[in-house]
Amino acid sequence: MFNIPEELKKLPDQPGVYIMHDASDAIIYVGKAVSLRNRVRQYFRASHNEGIKKDQMVKKIARFEYIITDSELEALVLECNLIKEHRPKYNTMLRDDKTYPYIKVTLGEDYPRVLFCRQMKKDKSRYFGPYTSAGAVKDTIELIQKLYHIRTCNRTLPRDTGKERPCLNYHIKQCYGPCQGYISKEDYRKNIDEALEFLNGNYAPILKSLEQKMMQASEAMDFEKAIEYRELLNSVTQIVQKQKITQFDGEDKDIIAMASDDRDAVVQVFFIRGGKLIGREHFYVTIANEDTKRQVLTTFVKQFYAGTPYLPKEIMLQSEIDEMDIISEWLSKKRGQKVTLRVPQKGMKEKLVELAEKNAKLVLSQDREKLKREEGRTIGALKEIADWLDMEHLNRVEAYDISNINGFETVGSMIVYEKGKPQRSDYRKFKLRTITGPDDYASMHEVLTRRFTHGLEEQKELEEKQMDASYGSFTKFPDLIMMDGGRGQVNIALQVLEELHLNIPVCGMVKDDNHRTRGLYYHNVEIPIDTRSEGFKLITRIQDEAHRFAIEFHRSLRSKSQVHSVLDDINGIGPARRKALMRKFQSLEAIRNASVEELAETDAMNEQAAAEVYKFFHANVEEHS
């Protein structure tokens, strides 16, 4: 349970971004702060008032998390990225990609220009930013144009050389006149290179020069000129703040760093997508005294990416790991494209790794007990269940539920837990095709048959294409199937597995007379379990989640007025033909057993429609959700 008063005490007095979650763990608000401690605490003070909308949001906060940054600028840009990625309900700003300005150097031109823009594109230009002040960007571009005599016209050079008279900037000696051919491409490029050095952060000489000119103007009593230099100094100081939350190359990367003490370690992973930091996860690791950072990172990379469906182009690591070349080759084969493992030594990439390490240290120092409790609720609970069932390994669990919606509308649900946590991307819904009425056993037989038949077919297809099995949605089979019931449900599952020649352990979650779980049915024996244990609590959560998912499916169908016969899913069968079929055959089972000729004899039907109905009920089993 997230204890808000206790967590408020742990907030650091550092800049960063805070993320508010509701009871369903959805992100409802993202904000940035100069001081996380001061800003987040304000929300929970009785005297604090930010309006009705924020008050409603605060009432729904179940937990919060935060990411520390090195500056307020980084916090602001990260806030923008996270809002665009998650679209929180209570955020009303930063709705498009034109929030922050960039400086663009058009290196694809023979005589490049320095321009203001609000979008990065994949072209030959070099981009700097994003920045928080459009005014400062424009001032800096103007300054660069004056200092390095960069052209401001939009003429296409050298095609348009000499076609028009030079502009005013040439006459006031702010441009060397490339439009007239007065400067060679090579000499002009030297000026551009100096401007790039300035934008890359080598601005000390310029700042020193501006400061000297400001002092000289002040001593000469030319205060108007001194103010001009002062304003330019302020603009340059603001624009050259280094920030690393957005990268210029627009690539997908993962940033991995860790922090450890004698017994524990936290590995922090930053996810950069499209060049923007959009999220992070941290992982708690129990280590031995002799384990080195290299060993811990090596093990983590192998285990993490073995179970991750998406792989980025580049993985940046805090330090070298074992077998980097082999691991890179393995990940590249899994991704289907080159995956590079790199330990950055300097620049923005190294700063990103340092930021990940800083967040890992914060988690380790402040959240150790919470992480241990979480591990007990998830991985520890799975280990308890594995011990009860005498299983050596237990990671992925699948559970199923069957529900009826009056008459023919029977639905099935499949939920998945991995490492003790719900894996919602792997959940599946089924509309029953062949079962009439509340026959739970027959319904479960169809659902399991469709699920594992589809998985086997998908595995075969991927093998033929020589693709990794993780690319399939159904290829990953569970270590354990948990049925919401006793012997009957377990036997149905075992029957399906035997028919498909699969060997997967199955256990039933047995309930008492009060509909509460009392034990597990496994290998024809009911195993009693400690109702105070984390394993029991996890089983209860799995049961509740399977039931909730099925009910949610029902509500969705009803709310959208989509509760209909399975016949509506057949190509060419509309309301008239559906009613005609049900009048003649009375049940789905009878329709399923009818021949094409018998179906074609039905009112409103023809041979083509009859063939579609027959094909639907007799084609290879596949997922239908």
Side-chain angles (χ1 to χ4, degrees), residues 250-254 272-275 310-314 335:
E251 299 288 355
D252 291 354
K253 298 181 179 69
D254 285 354
I272 295 179
R273 299 295 179 259
Y310 178 78
L311 285 165
K313 184 176 181 179
E314 184 178 14
R335 183 175 187 260

Side-chain angles (χ1 to χ4, degrees), residues 1-2 4 18-30 44 55-65 86-91 424:
M1 182 65 67
F2 190 88
I4 289 180
Y18 54 91
I19 305 164
M20 304 298 194
H21 296 255
D22 64 13
S24 64
D25 213 32
I27 294 175
I28 59 175
Y29 188 75
V30 174
F44 301 96
D55 288 343
Q56 290 174 343
M57 184 267 290
V58 171
K59 293 176 183 177
K60 294 183 178 181
I61 296 174
R63 73 176 184 91
F64 59 80
E65 59 177 318
H86 298 288
R87 303 286 179 183
K89 178 179 179 180
Y90 290 96
N91 283 99
R424 292 187 173 86

